[in-house]
Amino acid sequence: MKRKAVGVPCLSAAAAAAVLCLSSLAGAAGVAGQKRLQFGENGEFKILQVADMHYGDGKATPCEDVLPSQMAGCSDLNTTAFVHRMIQAEKPDLVVFTGDNIFGFDATDAAKSLEYAFAPAVSSSIPWAAILGNHDQESTLSREGVMKHIVTLEHTLSQVNPTGIEIDGFGNYNLEVHGVEGSGFENKSVLNLYFLDSGDYSTVPSILGYDWIKPSQQVWFQHTSKKLRRAYTSKHRKAPAPGLAYFHIPLPEFASFDSSNFTGVKQEGISSASVNSGFFATMVEAGDVKAVFTGHDHLNDFCGELSGIELCYAGGFGYHAYGKAGWARRARVVLATLEKTDKATWGPVKSIKTWKRLDDRHLTAIDGQVLWSKRTKERSRSVVLEQNYGKRSTCMLE
């Protein structure tokens, strides 16, 4: 979002050099050669969300909003180290970067800054995906240029846009996560991931502030969701596979919560577009999206449930981004788990859980919660649409 970051102890020169050497790993990874996402043999699929890295020029770019004792030597390399720590600790199946990956005004060369920012994911060989925020295009590449560069990096599943259609923005695409190999779902997508470009700033003179998800993007989402629902459902399986949506700028509906009906903290206002383009209603109507994940407002890290969809912030990740001194940088983790069938094999998704980890000495895990469970989702569409805004699910982690 805007400019403003917390900290672990600053990196030593040796550690900084080790982090720095892992950057600039660019390659040619086309859509045709992408790795297929699939649940593991343990019936789990884990996603690490990294929001608002605000990467600049590496070691030369200082941290913001850290304690005075952390300021000396603190730089973008602290952000890089945090990504490495999270990947090593959680061993995710997919890393998702939800925009403001670089802070364009402080990135001398956008392509190099992008390569440094994504270097931990690239060097880990873990599949990763990225979308744009409102700051990524403020350096030497346009929004289209940034996305076109991202898709050339190794191990990325990012796409510039779906082919064959006209659509607003850059970085609108979906990924399918198939069931366990050898199960009846190995060739079916049991978890659908939607990525959208929420834009940067309004180009309509009479509308000030941030951009929004446009009608063309919503039509694409509706078409894609409908196609995936048809491919998944059958005579014995009426409900669609659950979906998760990732984009940068929060929807106006994120303002529906207070401390009584969300998990996490809200320490600043909701910086959504000043107009409501109706995308939340579009997702409710589609019926498959169970949770939305955004960044943008670095001091918010809550999840709140509205009309059957959990609306979640990740919390600020990057050290060259505004933050709050003494309030640790953080990342969000999502874990989808499959159910066991009567034949002792893996079936469809049973539950989706989440927690956050802090960039402290112990990578402390906080705010574990169930976002969605197959056992509690058997509510009719009419009940979901009529339930009171802001009502909070009471299910807890088992």
Side-chain angles (χ1 to χ4, degrees), residues 186-264:
E186 69 173 319
N187 293 315
K188 278 189 178 291
S189 179
V190 296
L191 180 67
N192 297 311
L193 310 178
Y194 301 99
F195 303 87
L196 295 102
D197 181 6
S198 55
D200 49 13
Y201 304 96
S202 170
T203 58
V204 180
S206 60
I207 302 175
L208 302 178
Y210 293 109
D211 211 343
W212 54 89
I213 294 173
K214 304 297 197 306
S216 65
Q217 296 168 281
Q218 298 189 46
V219 169
W220 165 78
F221 165 80
Q222 289 173 315
H223 173 78
T224 304
S225 173
K226 185 176 182 180
K227 180 183 69 174
L228 291 168
R229 294 197 310 269
R230 284 179 173 174
Y232 181 80
T233 55
S234 67
K235 183 172 68 173
H236 303 293
R237 192 169 52 249
K238 302 297 184 183
L244 307 176
Y246 289 89
F247 45 89
H248 181 72
I249 298 175
L251 301 171
E253 284 79 6
F254 273 69
S256 303
F257 310 107
D258 58 41
S259 58
S260 69
N261 57 12
F262 64 65
T263 299

Side-chain angles (χ1 to χ4, degrees), residues 17-29:
V19 169
L20 199 59
C21 73
L22 290 168
S23 61
S24 71
L25 297 170

Side-chain angles (χ1 to χ4, degrees), residues 5-7 64-68 70 299 322-329:
V6 138
E64 295 197 18
D65 296 337
V66 295
L67 296 171
Q70 299 167 325
L299 299 182
Y322 79 86
K324 183 178 179 182
W327 192 69
R329 290 295 184 275

Side-chain angles (χ1 to χ4, degrees), residues 49-52 96-100 130-134 171-172 194-199 211-213 217 220-221 244-254 272 277 279-280 283 289 291-297 309-314:
Q49 181 189 359
V50 175
D52 297 273
V96 176
F97 298 92
T98 50
D100 282 1
I131 50 178
L132 302 182
N134 54 293
N172 302 286
Y194 301 99
F195 303 87
L196 295 102
D197 181 6
S198 55
D211 211 343
W212 54 89
I213 294 173
Q217 296 168 281
W220 165 78
F221 165 80
L244 307 176
Y246 289 89
F247 45 89
H248 181 72
I249 298 175
L251 301 171
E253 284 79 6
F254 273 69
S272 59
S277 69
F279 186 52
F280 180 77
M283 289 189 291
V289 172
V292 169
F293 302 95
T294 68
H296 195 54
D297 298 327
I309 298 178
E310 292 277 352
L311 301 179
C312 297
Y313 280 106

Side-chain angles (χ1 to χ4, degrees), residues 314-352:
F317 190 101
Y319 280 86
H320 186 55
Y322 79 86
K324 183 178 179 182
W327 192 69
R329 290 295 184 275
R330 58 204 59 213
R332 181 171 291 281
V333 180
V334 171
L335 178 68
T337 305
L338 302 178
E339 68 176 4
K340 280 280 191 179
T341 68
D342 295 337
K343 297 179 180 179
T345 185
W346 292 110
V349 175
K350 176 182 70 174
S351 67
I352 301 172

